[in-house]
Amino acid sequence: MNNTTSPLNRVITKASLVVEEGEDYQEIQIPYIEINCGDGPSLLLLAGCHGDEFEGPVVAQRIAEWLPNTQLCGKTRIVPVVNLPALSARSRNSPVDGLNLNRSYPGSAVGTVSQRIAHAISTKLLPEADMVIDLHSFGPTMGFVPAATIHRGDDAELYVRTVELAKAMRLPATVVWDEPDVVGMLDTLAENQGKVFVCAEIGGGSVTLTNIRIGVDGVRNALISLGMVEGTAEDPPYSCGEPGQLFEVLAPDYLTATKGGIFEPRCSLLDDVEVGDVLGILHPLIAWSEKSLPVRASTRGKVISVTSRLVVESKDTICLLAHASGE
Amino acid sequence: MNNTTSPLNRVITKASLVVEEGEDYQEIQIPYIEINCGDGPSLLLLAGCHGDEFEGPVVAQRIAEWLPNTQLCGKTRIVPVVNLPALSARSRNSPVDGLNLNRSYPGSAVGTVSQRIAHAISTKLLPEADMVIDLHSFGPTMGFVPAATIHRGDDAELYVRTVELAKAMRLPATVVWDEPDVVGMLDTLAENQGKVFVCAEIGGGSVTLTNIRIGVDGVRNALISLGMVEGTAEDPPYSCGEPGQLFEVLAPDYLTATKGGIFEPRCSLLDDVEVGDVLGILHPLIAWSEKSLPVRASTRGKVISVTSRLVVESKDTICLLAHASGE
């Protein structure tokens, strides 16, 4: 532990969250930095949950360099890499127990390594936070428009505050997921405890410098809106409508491959499409062995994600649409 | 086999190259289309050599749809997927024998499946071609500027013709590799037989619609320059200098990670950099456990490739520079 008190009564602590050794894996020390300026909001900034989403740890590292000199009130804790086993293996799920960390909450002190990491975060970092920003991306297989994503829970007042923080990030889109599979998510755990929870999806497909800048600006914009730092919000260098605009993604907006083959995209991120528009062509892997099929939009919307792998299997998601929301 | 004669004495044949069964894998039929208009150049267009480079098969499929109605002279053969086992597994090397098909030439009729594929292409498709365009990309781990890439062999006259075809594609860059490891490449085999060989690297990292269009236009531009189709060459929708401009990549231009960690890019594709410029920061995987290191350009040049994985191991290539060449 290493404390520094700055002129503004800013107490900066670099420490580690200890995840105890279990049968499957050694003790893990998860480094974090705490910047404590006393009264004000308490924000937990997490990254590196899924090991194939590289943008978050870079963004968190950038914020961790800058915030110790700029935070004015409240408390932040920044964890650049939550899931070291997965990130080391560059895999979404843990190579140790095969689990998705973000389906392992609240976890268990005596479970497998992902469950132990989840338990440590749930019990030692989450309780003190009023709000959480969790930095994700769509990983290497899907291009994705950088977006602040949220759930619409049962608590209307919490939803209003959540939308407010999400939009304040001014990412190219704010997306409300209609997600069926939310059991075991940190999002769900935090929301059920009445905390504001925003999952930032900082792009996907290739990691680009532009998306990383959008992610850094997004967190900074959130901190400005919370009054925790001074400054003016930056708009993303992205051809979008009003930054932060609210979209909904519903179950029919996931376009999946009806069979395996080569997907030829005929759309780009942020395209506006109408029902029936051709978004791509599904070719057989063995050329001309079957007819190539057009993949058409079944709803009107904006393209927020397109597969970047092109060789797809039946039921793989190939395209994701979003709709402007009335909030 | 399925022949059609069009009004222009265009004979269109869809056929398959048979790779015989071996101990390790069943017989493979590799579909190709031949468009034969009699006298003129003979071009072989290949794609799908490495199974994690998805752009080529899509570009080849697009050309195979369009060319039967537009070719005016000469002969083309188009093979959208050369290496079906690798593409099915989405892996660079074959999942069957672990071999890189483009290090397996000239191959063997009695070898493993990659060697048998190489042998079938070397003996049945290559002999009739005057020139080869092989569609590759940098795959999902490295962003890359779409480029026509060539080698500078010993035959000066062949090199001049190769540069001519490569530049005629008008991709954002034409790159001369100083590649140490060329044994077993189809490139080398074809060059040694006096054939013009251009390897088009149609981007890398995420597959984008823009790069696919650049690839399709590049092949079309090449066919126009050969007089095989009518039309006007299209410039790529890319912020580059003169399209097709010649660059060299030498051994010192490969910047590699000096240790494992998180690479934070501070440069983008096509940036011009000077010696000493910071191209990125190498952070330890365990935050603050070691000092973060700047990665600096050791030569002056243009960034043509940046890793898109960010979590790197020691000796991984993280950045590739190119230099304007005097030809």
Side-chain angles (χ1 to χ4, degrees):
Chain A
M1 197 151 318
N2 161 14
N3 290 8
T4 324
T5 305
S6 74
L8 258 172
N9 281 330
R10 213 183 263 144
V11 183
I12 295 155
T13 311
K14 281 187 179 170
S16 290
L17 175 68
V18 175
V19 178
E20 283 182 20
E21 186 178 353
E23 277 179 24
D24 59 348
Y25 204 76
Q26 73 217 42
E27 178 187 285
I28 306 174
Q29 301 213 359
I30 301 178
Y32 66 89
I33 185 168
E34 179 183 291
I35 305 147
N36 192 343
C37 304
D39 289 345
S42 176
L43 173 72
L44 178 60
L45 180 67
L46 302 174
C49 167
H50 295 131
D52 60 350
E53 301 171 6
F54 307 119
E55 296 86 343
V58 171
V59 169
Q61 192 93 32
R62 291 273 287 271
I63 298 294
E65 276 167 27
W66 158 81
L67 200 56
N69 301 313
T70 48
Q71 188 176 310
L72 299 174
C73 67
K75 187 166 89 172
T76 49
R77 281 176 171 175
I78 304 172
V79 191
V81 178
V82 162
N83 194 352
L84 201 63
L87 202 76
S88 306
R90 298 169 176 157
S91 69
R92 177 175 175 83
N93 289 2
S94 176
V96 181
D97 55 19
L99 293 182
N100 177 345
L101 176 58
N102 205 25
R103 295 296 182 281
S104 302
Y105 285 91
S108 156
V110 293
T112 63
V113 68
S114 300
Q115 293 166 331
R116 296 200 302 279
I117 294 172
H119 183 260
I121 291 167
S122 312
T123 57
K124 294 177 195 158
L125 294 183
L126 191 60
E128 287 192 51
D130 307 324
M131 51 196 84
V132 181
I133 297 179
D134 195 13
L135 303 174
H136 283 248
S137 81
F138 253 53
T141 67
M142 300 285 291
F144 196 81
V145 175
T149 75
I150 57 178
H151 296 112
R152 186 195 293 271
D154 298 328
D155 181 338
E157 186 273 332
L158 178 61
Y159 178 67
V160 168
R161 286 193 291 128
T162 303
V163 169
E164 200 174 350
L165 184 66
K167 291 186 73 164
M169 295 182 80
R170 301 187 74 71
L171 299 186
T174 304
V175 170
V176 188
W177 293 123
D178 178 23
E179 208 158 9
D181 172 27
V182 296
V183 175
M185 292 181 83
L186 178 58
D187 317 43
T188 313
L189 181 67
E191 287 153 15
N192 289 343
Q193 294 177 8
K195 297 174 195 296
V196 167
F197 192 99
V198 176
C199 168
E201 300 281 359
I202 313 166
S206 244
V207 180
T208 65
L209 194 52
T210 304
N211 284 354
I212 286 174
R213 279 185 189 151
I214 290 174
V216 171
D217 284 349
V219 174
R220 183 173 166 274
N221 290 345
L223 290 161
I224 292 169
S225 80
L226 294 168
M228 296 176 81
V229 298
E230 277 187 341
T232 311
E234 293 285 342
D235 281 349
Y238 226 86
S239 61
C240 55
E242 175 65 13
Q245 201 190 331
L246 203 65
F247 293 90
E248 279 179 324
V249 176
L250 307 171
D253 299 322
Y254 287 77
L255 289 173
T256 52
T258 50
K259 56 181 180 180
I262 297 174
F263 178 72
E264 174 189 342
R266 295 255 170 125
C267 64
S268 297
L269 294 179
L270 289 169
D271 282 354
D272 289 308
V273 301
E274 298 291 332
V275 175
D277 280 0
V278 174
L279 303 182
I281 313 280
L282 199 53
H283 300 286
L285 205 54
I286 298 171
W288 311 298
S289 62
E290 292 173 69
K291 241 183 132 164
S292 297
L293 288 179
V295 176
R296 294 179 187 276
S298 54
T299 57
R300 188 182 182 188
K302 190 180 277 293
V303 176
I304 59 163
S305 182
V306 188
T307 179
S308 60
R309 297 193 72 175
L310 302 200
V311 172
V312 297
E313 285 169 32
S314 180
K315 297 190 183 159
D316 278 358
T317 300
I318 47 184
C319 205
L320 205 48
L321 300 178
H323 312 272
S325 161
E327 307 192 15
Chain B
M1 196 151 313
N2 161 15
N3 290 9
T4 323
T5 306
S6 76
L8 258 172
N9 282 331
R10 212 183 261 143
V11 183
I12 295 155
T13 310
K14 281 187 178 170
S16 290
L17 176 68
V18 175
V19 178
E20 283 182 20
E21 186 178 353
E23 277 179 22
D24 59 349
Y25 204 74
Q26 72 217 45
E27 177 187 285
I28 306 174
Q29 301 214 359
I30 302 177
Y32 66 91
I33 187 169
E34 180 184 291
I35 304 147
N36 192 343
C37 306
D39 290 347
S42 176
L43 174 72
L44 178 61
L45 180 67
L46 302 173
C49 167
H50 296 130
D52 59 351
E53 300 171 5
F54 306 119
E55 296 87 343
V58 171
V59 169
Q61 191 93 33
R62 292 274 286 270
I63 299 294
E65 276 167 29
W66 158 79
L67 200 55
N69 301 311
T70 47
Q71 188 175 310
L72 299 174
C73 68
K75 188 166 88 173
T76 49
R77 281 177 172 175
I78 305 172
V79 191
V81 178
V82 162
N83 193 352
L84 202 63
L87 202 75
S88 305
R90 298 171 175 156
S91 70
R92 178 176 175 81
N93 289 3
S94 176
V96 180
D97 55 19
L99 293 182
N100 177 344
L101 176 58
N102 205 25
R103 296 295 182 281
S104 302
Y105 284 90
S108 155
V110 294
T112 63
V113 68
S114 300
Q115 293 166 331
R116 296 199 302 279
I117 294 173
H119 182 260
I121 292 168
S122 311
T123 57
K124 295 178 195 159
L125 294 182
L126 191 60
E128 287 190 51
D130 306 325
M131 52 195 81
V132 182
I133 298 179
D134 195 14
L135 302 174
H136 283 248
S137 81
F138 254 53
T141 66
M142 301 284 292
F144 195 81
V145 175
T149 75
I150 57 177
H151 297 111
R152 186 194 292 274
D154 298 328
D155 181 339
E157 186 273 331
L158 178 62
Y159 178 66
V160 169
R161 286 192 291 130
T162 302
V163 169
E164 200 175 346
L165 184 67
K167 291 185 72 165
M169 295 183 79
R170 301 186 75 72
L171 298 185
T174 304
V175 170
V176 187
W177 295 123
D178 179 22
E179 209 159 8
D181 172 25
V182 295
V183 175
M185 291 181 85
L186 178 58
D187 317 43
T188 313
L189 181 67
E191 287 152 16
N192 289 344
Q193 294 177 6
K195 297 175 194 296
V196 167
F197 193 100
V198 176
C199 168
E201 301 281 358
I202 313 167
S206 243
V207 180
T208 64
L209 194 51
T210 304
N211 284 354
I212 286 174
R213 280 186 187 150
I214 290 174
V216 171
D217 284 350
V219 175
R220 184 174 165 272
N221 291 345
L223 289 161
I224 291 170
S225 81
L226 294 168
M228 294 176 82
V229 298
E230 278 188 338
T232 311
E234 294 284 341
D235 281 350
Y238 226 87
S239 61
C240 55
E242 175 64 12
Q245 199 190 332
L246 205 65
F247 293 90
E248 280 178 323
V249 176
L250 307 171
D253 299 322
Y254 287 77
L255 289 171
T256 53
T258 49
K259 56 181 180 178
I262 297 174
F263 178 72
E264 175 189 341
R266 295 258 171 124
C267 64
S268 298
L269 294 179
L270 289 167
D271 282 355
D272 288 307
V273 302
E274 299 291 332
V275 175
D277 279 0
V278 174
L279 304 182
I281 313 281
L282 200 52
H283 301 287
L285 205 53
I286 297 170
W288 311 297
S289 62
E290 291 173 69
K291 240 184 134 164
S292 297
L293 288 180
V295 177
R296 293 179 189 277
S298 54
T299 57
R300 188 182 184 192
K302 190 179 278 290
V303 176
I304 58 162
S305 182
V306 188
T307 179
S308 60
R309 297 194 71 175
L310 303 199
V311 171
V312 297
E313 285 168 31
S314 180
K315 298 191 184 160
D316 277 358
T317 300
I318 46 182
C319 206
L320 204 48
L321 300 178
H323 313 273
S325 160
E327 309 192 12

